[in-house]
Amino acid sequence: MISKKMLRLAHSKTREKQMTNFNSFLKIGVTACALTFAANAFADAQFKVPTYYSIELVDGSTNQYNYSRFNRTITLSPGRHQIVLLFEGQFGSMSEGRMIEAADPIVVEISDIQDGETYTFKYDIPRDENQASKFARAQKIQLTDLDGNAIPESKASYYILTSESGFAILRDYRQDLMSLNRLYAPNYVEGSKRGIGMTAYGSPTIQANASGNILNSGAAHSNMAMAAPEISYEQESNLATSSVNGGAVNRGSAAFRQLVKMYESADDKTKLEFVKYVMSH
């Protein structure tokens, strides 16, 4: 028969074991919280790129920035930044959908982001081709932090970078911003890719771009709009009617053959922009 003394001893050992387990659990929890706090305290500043937006420039650079495709974030140093993004994406079914691209990018101006902060923006994500076309013209967004809280304009703002020429093939957003004296590019030197050289006598030289047809020269042109093919009034009306009705251009028409000829004579970069233009219109 078990005495009361033995029962009290067993109960005491059970309580002691429970307290030991609880203290161990408490220590683990406190350590985890401390590590989480420390990680947040020393986390990098970031900008999360929303769905259907692609990066065009970060502080004047087209590729020298820390971007993770896995979580669509740009790692930033504390301080000021300028991010240029373009709305584009495939909308509709795989067989009948088309590429929608905004004619103008948006420019996000960040005045002073700090370590541990993540900026992004939210908008009504289009569900179909019609909504995407409407949004591409308006591009109404709201800058927020990662929790969805609005960021005050004193810390970040945005604007749509329009152009007098409208949609342009091979448009250079860096040059557009420079023309407005609004480019923020601490590591970019204007003309660094324009053939700057030095003569034998030590005089600096700048080589101009080769002149000629943009489709054949292969030179980098900025703000160059592709001219419409020369078609008759009747052909133009047929193209407009086909576009309104959602139909395809007649592959046997002179206008289509001329478009194909222009496309085949273009360089790879121009071909890509040409395809984007055709699919978004």
Side-chain angles (χ1 to χ4, degrees):
M1 185 174 181
I2 301 175
S3 64
K4 291 183 178 179
K5 185 176 181 181
M6 293 177 64
L7 287 174
R8 285 196 299 270
L9 181 60
H11 182 67
S12 176
K13 289 183 177 181
T14 301
R15 283 181 58 84
E16 183 179 351
K17 185 177 181 180
Q18 289 176 341
M19 288 300 296
T20 301
N21 292 338
F22 176 77
N23 289 335
S24 299
F25 178 77
L26 185 62
K27 289 179 180 179
I28 293 173
V30 171
T31 303
C33 290
L35 291 174
T36 301
F37 177 80
N40 290 335
F42 295 99
D44 294 322
Q46 293 182 327
F47 183 88
K48 187 172 182 63
V49 181
T51 304
Y52 294 122
Y53 271 91
S54 59
I55 307 169
E56 298 296 320
L57 289 175
V58 177
D59 297 337
S61 176
T62 57
N63 55 14
Q64 299 299 318
Y65 49 82
N66 298 318
Y67 176 65
S68 171
R69 296 182 181 274
F70 177 73
N71 53 13
R72 295 180 62 85
T73 57
I74 306 168
T75 300
L76 303 170
S77 60
R80 180 183 175 186
H81 294 281
Q82 181 186 72
I83 304 173
V84 181
L85 306 109
L86 185 67
F87 175 79
E88 58 183 355
Q90 180 79 20
F91 294 88
S93 64
M94 292 296 294
S95 58
E96 299 180 359
R98 68 187 181 99
M99 176 70 72
I100 303 295
E101 178 180 341
D104 303 299
I106 64 171
V107 181
V108 177
E109 301 274 7
I110 299 174
S111 59
D112 189 20
I113 193 170
Q114 298 299 311
D115 280 336
E117 292 184 322
T118 298
Y119 288 2
T120 185
F121 60 82
K122 60 182 180 181
Y123 68 101
D124 293 331
I125 298 178
R127 295 189 300 270
D128 53 40
E129 184 180 324
N130 184 48
Q131 291 182 2
S133 296
K134 289 181 179 179
F135 176 79
R137 294 190 293 269
Q139 295 198 84
K140 182 67 175 178
I141 68 171
Q142 182 182 19
L143 293 168
T144 69
D145 60 21
L146 200 57
D147 296 325
N149 302 313
I151 298 175
E153 290 190 6
S154 59
K155 300 190 69 175
S157 60
Y158 86 98
Y159 54 88
I160 300 173
L161 182 63
T162 61
S163 172
E164 291 181 354
S165 59
F167 187 93
I169 301 297
L170 302 182
R171 180 177 169 186
D172 191 331
Y173 302 127
R174 184 161 46 204
Q175 294 299 320
D176 285 355
L177 289 166
M178 287 177 65
S179 69
L180 300 170
N181 197 28
R182 301 203 66 160
L183 176 68
Y184 177 71
N187 297 321
Y188 173 71
V189 178
E190 182 181 4
S192 60
K193 295 183 179 180
R194 294 188 182 183
I196 289 183
M198 194 77 67
T199 67
Y201 302 98
S203 300
T205 64
I206 300 180
Q207 182 179 4
N209 288 330
S211 60
N213 191 331
I214 183 174
L215 297 180
N216 298 324
S217 66
H221 294 258
S222 62
N223 294 323
M224 179 70 74
M226 181 173 287
E230 297 179 1
I231 56 178
S232 66
Y233 176 79
E234 181 180 358
Q235 291 171 330
E236 184 175 357
S237 300
N238 292 336
L239 285 173
T241 303
S242 176
S243 177
V244 170
N245 295 334
V249 178
N250 182 0
R251 294 178 178 270
S253 67
F256 183 82
R257 290 195 300 271
Q258 193 162 0
L259 285 173
V260 171
K261 185 176 180 180
M262 292 174 63
Y263 175 82
E264 290 177 344
S265 62
D267 55 58
D268 291 341
K269 187 175 182 181
T270 305
K271 285 181 179 179
L272 177 60
E273 294 297 332
F274 188 82
V275 170
K276 286 183 178 180
Y277 177 78
V278 172
M279 295 185 71
S280 62
H281 288 70

